[in-house]
Amino acid sequence: MLFQIEDIITKMQDDKTGGVPIRTVKSFLSKIPSVVTGTDIVQWLMKNLSIEDPVEAIHLGSLIAAQGYIFPISDHVLTMKDDGTFYRFQAPYFWPSNCWEPENTDYAIYLCKRTMQNKARLELADYEAENLARLQRAFARKWEFIFMQAEAQVKIDRKKDKTERKILDSQERAFWDVHRPVPGCVNTTEMDIRKCRRLKNPQRVKKSVYGVTEESQSQSPVHIPSQPIRKTTKEDIRKQITFLNAQIDRHCLKMSKVAESLIAYTEQYVEYDPLITPAEPSNPWISDDVTLWDTEMSKEPSQQRVKRWGFSFDEVLKDQVGRDQFLRFLESEFSSENLRFWLAVQDLKKQPLQDVAKRVEEIWQEFLAPGAPSAINLDSHSYEITSQNVKDGGRYTFEDAQEHIYKLMKSDSYARFLRSNAYQDLLLAKKKPESEQGRRTSLEKFTRSVGKSLAGKRLTGLMQSS
């Protein structure tokens, strides 16, 4: 693609073959050298590329300008206009095909050089001044080197002809308009064409905008014969279209939504992270108090443990007590075979290889065979796949059936379990405040003491009467 654009740009600048007329325009008190108008470019594209619609020619010109091959000299918006707006061609040295990937140090040298040239047209814009201040803080240790590089470049530029210097300044600024665009403009360099080309040329040395090599080779360069460029075929175009259609259909999430989900997940599980929230009772590995382990192993789960079952269905399945409670609920709904089948398949995956075939047959006869005592409800597609897998049984014979039953329990039974009296009573029983329990305990003690005193008085009265 880049080579095709560069071929068009080369033909535009060729006067012998009828290129775009490049001229010097007189303005008030000065001259504007080496410029073309937007109308000339659009007409040339329509004439030489057989384009009938001017809108299509303007769109093609905007695409070429977005890559930095053509740039306006009056503003920094890289678009094409079909009017008298003046444009200038970018020097081949700055073309994207040279695998330009400028570093922040290059940008710092450019901005620093701009501040040394006392000209109104080269004054820094607000966003450039902010970038310069940020880069000066980032490169505080090597800022002296950056300043020296910029100063040397300014001395070299002052020796050039005034017209040549004006053209080079505009070309260099246009280069940075592509790679460090004005806020609000689209950064066309996010399309990683240069990185793709660099992967095809691993021996290529990375270079700086100002000719300073960023990465030097420690060994002598190895000569690699250049490969002939293969022409694009129809099959390549079809593959590219298929790939782009797949990219369009991808479901993309905004970064803000992803961040909100991550924050919500973190806030939900923060009390279960022992590094953030200390365990209650104390951590056995620190205090040698095994109360926490005894609580976790008991069949009466803590409030924190019961609350976690409501986060997701997987939390119920991971907890032994949670599975037992969920199994009791399914038994009350006469659908416990679903969970027993899911657990049996999980256990099958851990069985020794010599016992797998026998266990597969047992699961089939119990849950899936015609007239099975604990038949589960499978769709026809999953049942057909499982029937074929049983003929050559393995650890993952019931994978499709297990996934179907998992989705069935998650979407149907799990929601009813959270609304059931069994779960709500278990959750509320763990939430009773200690003050209320303390009041009950003191009331029971008072009742017992009153009962004992009454019983003692009755016993004393009977002894006196006797």
Side-chain angles (χ1 to χ4, degrees), residues 353-461:
L353 187 60
Q354 61 269 20
D355 300 338
V356 169
K358 178 182 177 182
R359 186 61 184 144
V360 167
E361 184 62 25
E362 292 175 354
I363 295 175
W364 171 262
Q365 293 298 331
E366 183 179 358
F367 297 102
L368 292 165
S374 301
I376 59 175
N377 186 15
L378 277 185
D379 62 293
S380 58
H381 179 70
S382 300
Y383 185 82
E384 185 176 344
I385 293 176
T386 306
S387 302
Q388 295 295 328
N389 293 341
V390 169
K391 296 177 182 178
D392 186 17
R395 287 194 176 96
Y396 300 95
T397 298
F398 303 101
E399 192 73 14
D400 290 277
Q402 186 190 32
E403 183 178 359
H404 177 79
I405 293 299
Y406 173 85
K407 292 179 179 178
L408 182 66
M409 292 190 296
K410 181 179 179 180
S411 60
D412 187 25
S413 303
Y414 173 64
R416 291 201 304 274
F417 169 69
L418 296 181
R419 295 192 301 267
S420 66
N421 294 330
Y423 177 76
Q424 293 296 329
D425 292 344
L426 191 61
L427 186 64
L428 293 174
K430 299 300 177 182
K431 288 185 177 181
K432 290 178 181 178
E434 295 181 0
S435 60
E436 183 181 348
Q437 293 178 359
R439 287 196 298 270
R440 289 186 179 181
T441 304
S442 60
L443 180 61
E444 290 174 359
K445 291 181 178 179
F446 175 75
T447 305
R448 290 174 184 173
S449 62
V450 171
K452 289 181 179 178
S453 63
L454 291 175
K457 289 180 180 180
R458 288 176 184 174
L459 181 61
T460 304

Side-chain angles (χ1 to χ4, degrees), residues 80-295:
M80 179 61 62
K81 299 177 183 178
D82 188 8
D83 55 18
T85 304
F86 292 131
Y87 291 85
R88 191 170 281 152
F89 290 103
Q90 182 62 280
Y93 181 76
F94 291 112
W95 282 357
S97 60
N98 289 327
C99 297
W100 282 118
E101 269 189 75
E103 300 291 337
N104 284 331
T105 52
D106 300 328
Y107 190 45
I109 293 172
Y110 164 71
L111 294 177
C112 193
K113 187 172 69 171
R114 285 267 302 278
T115 61
M116 298 177 185
Q117 296 172 339
N118 187 18
K119 294 180 180 179
R121 62 186 179 84
L122 293 176
E123 289 180 358
L124 296 182
D126 291 340
Y127 79 95
E128 291 176 325
E130 293 174 2
N131 289 338
L132 179 61
R134 178 178 55 81
L135 291 171
Q136 189 170 2
R137 290 193 299 269
F139 298 117
R141 294 186 178 181
K142 52 193 295 189
W143 189 252
E144 185 178 355
F145 169 77
I146 292 174
F147 186 84
M148 291 172 58
Q149 288 287 326
E151 195 173 28
Q153 290 295 322
V154 170
K155 290 181 180 178
I156 294 173
D157 290 342
R158 286 174 180 169
K159 296 178 181 179
K160 296 177 182 177
D161 181 67
K162 181 178 179 181
T163 302
E164 182 184 2
R165 187 165 65 246
K166 184 183 292 186
I167 295 172
L168 290 177
D169 287 342
S170 65
Q171 289 174 337
E172 186 177 12
R173 186 161 186 174
F175 172 82
W176 289 111
D177 285 339
V178 175
H179 293 274
R180 299 292 189 276
V182 179
C185 295
V186 178
N187 188 355
T188 57
T189 59
E190 289 180 357
M191 287 291 293
D192 223 351
I193 299 174
R194 289 162 300 283
K195 286 187 179 180
C196 295
R197 292 193 71 253
R198 193 176 70 249
L199 291 175
K200 296 178 182 178
N201 299 277
Q203 299 295 328
R204 200 182 194 98
V205 181
K206 192 175 181 180
K207 57 182 179 178
S208 167
V209 177
Y210 303 105
V212 181
T213 302
E214 295 285 343
E215 297 176 3
S216 60
Q217 289 181 336
S218 59
Q219 299 178 355
S220 300
V222 181
H223 174 69
I224 298 178
S226 59
Q227 299 294 331
I229 301 175
R230 186 174 66 87
K231 293 184 177 180
T232 305
T233 62
K234 292 183 179 180
E235 186 63 28
D236 295 334
I237 299 297
R238 290 194 189 97
K239 290 181 179 179
Q240 187 176 6
I241 293 173
T242 304
F243 172 76
L244 293 176
N245 287 332
Q247 296 299 312
I248 292 173
D249 294 336
R250 284 181 62 186
H251 180 65
C252 298
L253 291 175
K254 292 183 178 180
M255 184 60 68
S256 58
K257 297 295 182 183
V258 175
E260 288 176 4
S261 301
L262 181 59
I263 291 172
Y265 178 86
T266 305
E267 290 176 348
Q268 186 180 46
Y269 282 90
V270 65
E271 61 179 309
Y272 299 95
D273 191 337
L275 295 177
I276 301 175
T277 305
E280 295 181 3
S282 60
N283 189 338
W285 297 102
I286 299 175
S287 61
D288 292 335
D289 183 6
V290 296
T291 307
L292 177 64
W293 290 341
D294 295 337
T295 304

